[in-house]
């Protein structure tokens, strides 16, 4: 514990244990917590609350930036501490509770949660729990590895609990660009025209009178799970890089490309790593999450600047960045997620968006969230913010999985997160379908020819051909549209 | 013919007949034409081309702002003159050709077509055909009752044909706000913070060297079909107005509300007319199309300003506005559709969006375009631009139609244009479901309780209950999800 991190001395008497802080939370409260894809989440107060909820019948609505680390969502769900959760999660235990109807989940575009709070379209936040590097002399706070929705939570919550994380160096001061748009009807322009523009302040404003507890911790973020590229992800990455190279040849793009957004995971990492040995240069990112690959590209001199809402990296990369902040601090910025993901900026900057699908269909509709139309995996996250407004919207998935018992290219997706209007390019390990300027029937043939696993090509072609005979702008056989999903449920395989 | 409307005298020798102008169009060309929901479309050159195509084997790709008037789309389709059409249409003949697979249709967000052209994600425009009030001395052009995509077509087309419409008074000069964002990566802020902001020029820039023909016409726009509110549309309008009144009571909105977008048709007109006898005042619109109701509200002193891309009104209203332009000219503005519909502005202004659904499902997914998942009606238009980015996204439809043989509230929509993430409020003549802050299972019960026609309530409840037993974040019975649509196809009714 180092009380010097509470630079506003009048707040020093608020230091307490995590258990004491967690005791402020009452049944039925709405709690807004920092944390975005594991980064900068509550390390001790939410876990202490989960412990408390094991013994007490107490439930809250929990809002965050995005997912939490350290199994915190799982511990809360296991303890029955959650009545409602939004806007995103990735936890196995929580997911099971959601799918069982025991926890209500609201799956939101990540740019929108803060808007909904400001507009009073969601119930008000009772308590905010925010991880900070330190409290400044004016009571404003310096966030850690993510900004997420913390600016909104700090501004709107009636009471605030701060977790000072001493594992995060105080030198993070300045890596955040804290800006909030005005409330309606007096909202102005958000004056960002390039990923590197910084338009705000370095700390999050906070009324010290709202601080009810300060807790010290030195637990670092849960590290990202970094899996090496496998054959499939390498193929997908290769298809995308070839596509970019061709777009440069055609004069559509320069070899600086345009700002890149990459979803989380193996494919995104594989694509970004592919740039290392390419002719592309002076690349930029305008994304949600910065992963290891971002910093590798910075180190290799390929990437000039990256904008996002969080840093979610492996333990190695974490130390590389935060032990050498001076080397990286002019190369990236962390923003509130209603800025990093805001539709107007994504369109203004002309972002190239690369996101992962669970499945897509012959017309290019994408399911990012649901297994067989019912069970949620994680959530839509920021994929909709980016895909809708991108200069190019690319979705990737493996063509087939589980010994090819599951095809990820289907007659009709069982749940739609992104409509055909918002999908330009589809990529599997089999190949890439360029859907720009194509009508639905043309899209279908492109996708069948280029993306589907060979084991399923004939049946998919048959579905499409028979649907075309029946007619329609978007030919379908409604009685057969979900037959692949149903067969999987009955036999364990989509194969006939 | 009044050649004074060609103020750039060096262009006067380009005057020709519509047939001569139409003869420039060659097989396989991409033609970009003015026209947005019947307003400001090509009155003579496209029809002359349709005549020509009756005798010749010639086909084009036709892009417009939105729909055309005077059955022009039908004439072109009938003559086999269209290979591809985008981004919107409402014509019965064309629709049948599209659904038969004879014309390829690309159904686009109306804000995006111009972007796709500028980004070279669509093939380049060979010839633009643009209706104008007059040609200014510098060769720039003054559009008529719509702006649509004409700025982009004039800028990018290799050759341009102008239709000077002498039925439109030259005094329309100044009702348009012509602004185009810069190309990537040098795009700047679009500096609009209120519907009445004018940020551009009054004429569309055009290189006179590209003008290959000028044709005179005095045919007015096809009038809008104005149907008086019936019992259902009045009920829907009443539910919405009550909702707004309650939001004001709760302090969420002031009685100025926020800028309103209203889709085309009876319901939108009924809602807007409802404001006439309300306590709301100083209202504004930030919309695509201005209809009769807009000008009625201006006349009644309720509406202060309206921004859109076109004016589509009845014959009476047309004369009221254009014979008295001085009275209205500071009350409205027409913008390019990639400005009127741009996502960033819709979110910045906090627009209240009211759009029409064909059907919606128990989770709040909306189908705006397809009958039974296959046959297109019109197109998504601007509904996605507005619904996704709105402060409040409202969708309306009748609960049931065709003697209640069709329910418009269903277990699962047969086509998704707007996902549950983008839908806040659903309204039928039965009632209003406020879905804000609700998880899928809560949304379903709200919709069943408030929106579905009583004839279908029990079966919809049964579907939902049985799906919940099976589980999932979004409970469904995939084998039964389209059973209502299938029954309709087999028996002519969705009823069991």
């Amino acid at each position: 514990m180092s009380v010097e991190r509470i630079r506003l001395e009048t707040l020093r008497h608020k230091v307490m244990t995590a258990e004491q802080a967690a005791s402020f939370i009452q049944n039925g409260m709405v709690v807004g917590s920092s944390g975005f894809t594991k980064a900068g989440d509550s390390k001790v107060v939410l876990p202490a609350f989960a412990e408390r909820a094991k013994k007490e019948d107490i439930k809250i609505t929990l809002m965050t930036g995005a997912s939490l680390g350290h199994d915190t969502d799982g511990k809360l769900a296991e303890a029955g501490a959650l009545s409602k959760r939004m806007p995103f999660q990735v936890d196995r235990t929580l997911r099971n509770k959601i799918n069982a109807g025991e926890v209500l989940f609201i799956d939101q575009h990540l740019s929108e949660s803060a808007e909904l709070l400001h507009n009073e379209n969601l119930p008000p936040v009772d308590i905010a729990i925010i991880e900070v590097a330190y409290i400044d002399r004016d009571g404003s706070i310096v966030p850690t590895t993510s900004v997420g929705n913390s600016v909104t939570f700090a501004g709107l919550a009636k009471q605030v609990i701060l977790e000072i994380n001493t594992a995060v160096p105080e030198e993070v001061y300045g890596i955040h660009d804290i800006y909030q748009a005005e409330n309606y009807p007096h909202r102005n322009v958000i004056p960002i025209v390039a990923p590197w523009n910084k338009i705000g302040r370095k700390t999050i404003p906070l009324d010290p009178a709202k601080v009810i507890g300060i807790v010290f911790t030195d637990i670092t973020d849960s590290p990202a799970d970094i899996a090496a590229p496998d054959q499939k992800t390498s193929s997908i990455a290769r298809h995308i890089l070839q596509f970019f190279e061709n777009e440069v040849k055609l004069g559509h793009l320069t070899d600086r490309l345009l700002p890149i957004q990459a979803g989380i995971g193996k494919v995104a990492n594989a694509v970004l790593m592919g740039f290392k040995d390419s002719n592309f240069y002076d690349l930029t990112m305008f994304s949600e999450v910065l992963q290891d690959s971002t910093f590798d590209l910075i180190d290799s001199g390929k990437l000039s600047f990256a904008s996002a809402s969080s840093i979610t990296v492996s333990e190695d990369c974490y130390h590389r960045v935060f032990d050498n902040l001076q080397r990286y601090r002019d190369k990236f910025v962390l923003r509130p997620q209603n800025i990093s993901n805001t539709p107007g900026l994504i369109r203004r900057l002309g972002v190239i968006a690369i996101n992962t699908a669970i499945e897509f269909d012959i017309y290019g509709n994408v399911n990012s969230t649901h297994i067989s139309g019912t069970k949620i995996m994680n959530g839509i996250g920021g994929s909709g913010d980016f895909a809708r407004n991108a200069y190019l919207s690319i979705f990737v998935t493996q063509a087939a999985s589980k010994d090819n018992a599951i095809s990820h290219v289907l007659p009709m997706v069982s749940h739609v997160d992104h409509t055909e209007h918002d999908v330009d390019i589809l990529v599997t390990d089999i190949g890439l379908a360029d859907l720009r300027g194509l009508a639905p029937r043309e899209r279908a043939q492109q996708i069948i020819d280029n993306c589907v696993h060979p084991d399923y090509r004939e049946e998919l072609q048959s579905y499409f051909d028979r649907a075309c005979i029946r007619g329609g702008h978007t030919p379908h056989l409604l009685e057969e549209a979900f037959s692949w999903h149903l067969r999987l449920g009955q036999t364990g395989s989509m194969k006939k």
Side-chain angles (χ1 to χ4, degrees), chain A:
Chain A
M1 193 175 111
S2 52
V3 290
E4 315 83 63
R5 291 210 180 203
I6 308 176
R7 299 187 185 177
L8 179 65
E9 293 183 15
T10 55
L11 278 182
R12 288 189 180 166
H13 70 286
K14 296 283 185 185
V15 175
M16 59 183 66
T17 65
E19 291 68 29
Q20 285 171 315
S23 73
F24 289 120
I25 301 171
Q26 291 169 32
N27 191 41
M29 274 189 167
V30 177
V31 175
S33 169
S34 63
F36 193 104
T37 50
K38 300 182 176 178
D41 57 341
S42 160
K43 306 296 191 299
V44 288
V45 178
L46 280 181
F49 177 68
E51 279 301 312
R52 183 183 152 204
K54 280 188 191 170
K55 292 159 249 154
E56 271 178 65
D57 188 15
I58 184 168
K59 280 181 197 298
I60 58 169
T61 291
L62 178 62
M63 298 185 67
T64 55
S67 56
L68 304 177
H70 298 287
D71 302 322
T72 299
D73 262 325
K75 288 173 193 158
L76 289 164
E78 191 60 45
L82 300 177
S83 58
K84 204 171 248 186
R85 179 78 175 89
M86 64 191 97
F88 189 74
Q89 61 78 37
V90 299
D91 184 88
R92 176 188 298 262
T93 309
L94 174 54
R95 178 187 301 147
N96 289 339
K97 296 270 185 188
I98 292 167
N99 286 323
E102 293 168 30
V103 177
L104 293 166
F105 177 57
I106 306 185
D107 180 23
Q108 283 167 341
H109 297 303
L110 292 185
S111 74
E112 292 192 2
S113 314
E115 299 284 331
L116 294 170
L117 282 173
H118 283 288
N119 298 343
E120 300 179 338
N121 284 334
L122 287 175
V125 178
D126 295 298
I127 293 186
I129 304 171
I130 302 174
E131 181 181 271
V132 299
Y134 66 87
I135 303 168
D136 213 345
R137 289 195 199 181
D138 60 358
S140 70
I141 51 179
V142 177
T144 60
T145 48
S146 71
V147 181
N149 285 318
S150 295
V151 186
T152 295
F153 295 150
L156 297 182
K158 293 162 202 147
Q159 301 180 309
V160 177
I161 295 167
L162 298 175
E163 286 192 24
I164 298 182
N165 192 330
T166 54
V168 176
E170 293 176 73
E171 289 70 34
V172 294
Y173 177 75
I175 69 170
H176 314 96
D177 187 37
I178 305 303
Y179 178 92
Q180 283 292 289
E182 300 80 3
N183 282 341
Y184 297 122
H186 298 291
R187 183 169 291 191
N188 279 309
V189 162
I190 302 171
I192 290 173
V193 297
W196 53 85
N197 291 169
K198 292 188 180 183
I199 60 170
R201 306 193 171 270
K202 297 179 181 178
T203 62
I204 298 176
L206 176 62
D207 175 2
K210 296 204 294 187
V211 178
I212 55 172
I214 299 173
V215 180
F216 277 86
T217 168
D218 60 359
I219 301 171
T220 53
D221 289 340
S222 289
D225 311 312
I226 301 296
D230 56 24
Q231 210 185 332
K232 283 181 185 174
T233 55
S234 300
S235 294
I236 292 171
R238 203 173 52 245
H239 296 314
I240 293 178
L241 286 165
Q242 280 170 355
F243 169 79
F244 287 149
E245 281 162 9
N246 199 46
E247 287 294 295
V248 173
K249 261 189 219 146
L250 293 169
H252 294 164
L253 289 166
T254 72
D255 43 18
R256 276 190 171 105
L257 297 180
L258 281 164
I260 295 162
Q261 176 259 336
I264 309 174
K266 279 201 289 191
V267 175
N269 263 321
V271 172
L272 292 179
M273 292 323 295
F275 284 120
K276 246 170 123 171
D277 306 311
S278 71
N279 280 321
F280 298 104
Y281 81 112
D282 196 15
L283 297 168
T284 57
M285 293 185 73
F286 193 80
S287 198
E288 300 174 315
V289 181
L290 305 183
Q291 299 179 267
D292 284 37
S293 48
T294 300
F295 296 96
D296 292 346
L297 279 180
I298 289 174
D299 287 345
S300 70
K302 286 286 181 192
L303 185 73
S304 303
F305 197 88
S307 162
S309 193
S310 83
I311 295 182
T312 303
V313 290
S314 67
E315 209 176 326
D316 274 3
C317 186
Y318 185 91
H319 286 294
R320 176 152 50 106
V321 174
F322 288 98
D323 297 349
N324 301 283
L325 254 184
Q326 198 50 41
R327 198 164 91 204
Y328 294 100
R329 60 187 310 126
D330 64 339
K331 300 280 196 296
F332 74 93
V333 67
L334 300 183
R335 308 182 188 278
Q337 68 197 71
N338 50 331
I339 302 295
S340 64
N341 286 34
T342 197
L345 297 182
I346 294 161
R347 187 164 290 191
R348 191 186 298 156
L349 270 59
V351 171
I352 296 173
I354 306 171
N355 288 290
T356 305
I358 287 178
E359 60 186 22
F360 57 77
D361 68 26
I362 51 173
Y363 298 111
N365 298 287
V366 168
N367 171 10
S368 305
T369 54
H370 282 67
I371 304 298
S372 286
T374 57
K375 295 196 174 168
I376 199 154
M377 274 297 292
N378 303 329
I380 194 166
S383 59
D385 294 322
F386 285 95
R388 169 69 64 90
N389 298 291
Y391 162 87
L392 268 181
S393 167
I394 302 173
F395 279 92
V396 302
T397 186
Q398 49 189 333
S401 65
K402 306 230 163 142
D403 284 334
N404 304 334
I406 295 176
S407 173
H408 296 265
V409 188
L410 291 152
M412 181 187 264
V413 287
S414 57
H415 179 91
V416 178
D417 289 295
H418 310 287
T419 68
E420 52 123 345
H421 311 284
D422 301 333
V423 179
D424 297 316
I425 310 283
L426 287 171
V427 194
T428 67
D429 43 310
I430 303 299
L432 179 147
D434 183 351
L435 308 176
R436 293 174 296 172
L438 301 187
R441 290 176 189 227
E442 296 173 297
R443 293 166 76 98
Q445 199 56 57
Q446 268 284 319
I447 291 169
I448 294 169
D449 289 346
N450 292 291
C451 295
V452 69
H453 190 279
D455 288 4
Y456 292 94
R457 187 168 291 148
E458 197 179 332
E459 203 192 335
L460 202 57
Q461 184 75 54
S462 159
Y463 177 87
F464 175 55
D465 291 344
R466 287 178 293 119
C468 283
I469 291 169
R470 204 181 286 177
H473 173 56
T474 306
H476 266 304
L477 308 168
L478 284 191
E479 72 281 12
E480 211 180 293
F482 295 142
S483 59
W484 296 27
H485 298 94
L486 291 168
R487 206 181 300 139
L488 176 68
Q490 286 150 8
T491 70
S493 170
M494 286 187 178
K495 286 189 184 164
K496 254 190 181 159

